[in-house]
Amino acid sequence: MGIAKQYLKTKPVCKVTFTVPAEDAKKVAVVGDFNNWNPKGSTLKKLKNGTFKGTFDLPKENTYEFKYLVDGEFVNETEADRYQWNDYAGTENAVLEL
């Protein structure tokens, strides 16, 4: 798994690319604070090598909790900036700091 950040000089956003290796998965989405945990519109595209990838413009100077939704199962990013306990979910969420 991986996250790539590209800060734009002309806009207050960061292009964030999420990469998830999941050859056997049918559908992968990234959900979090930035999209109200709604997978609609945040589905990653499956590449020929079995990796799912997607890029999103997120406002910079913010912190976001997120997870991947892989075929209905929540999965944390192994390369997150840090992790935050979430009482509602009863587990840790990955954190993206921009």
Side-chain angles (χ1 to χ4, degrees):
M1 289 189 240
I3 300 173
K5 302 173 188 175
Q6 180 184 0
Y7 292 92
L8 302 182
K9 292 180 182 175
T10 57
K11 297 179 182 175
V13 299
C14 179
K15 285 190 171 295
V16 182
T17 301
F18 298 94
T19 306
V20 181
E23 283 185 37
D24 298 330
K26 292 185 174 113
K27 190 173 182 182
V28 176
V30 60
V31 295
D33 293 343
F34 49 84
N35 63 5
N36 292 318
W37 299 88
N38 185 347
K40 189 173 184 178
S42 63
T43 302
L44 304 182
K45 183 179 179 183
K46 188 169 189 175
L47 306 178
K48 289 181 182 178
N49 66 3
T51 300
F52 286 81
K53 195 171 192 176
T55 302
F56 303 92
D57 290 351
L58 299 176
K60 62 183 184 181
E61 297 180 11
N62 285 298
T63 301
Y64 303 97
E65 289 185 33
F66 76 99
K67 284 195 178 215
Y68 297 117
L69 192 57
V70 181
D71 289 342
E73 300 270 330
F74 287 106
V75 178
N76 255 339
E77 166 61 62
T78 56
E79 297 177 23
D81 294 323
R82 63 182 173 87
Y83 297 94
Q84 178 72 41
W85 179 259
N86 183 297
D87 285 331
Y88 179 76
T91 186
E92 285 186 332
N93 289 332
V95 175
L96 179 64
E97 294 178 340
L98 302 180

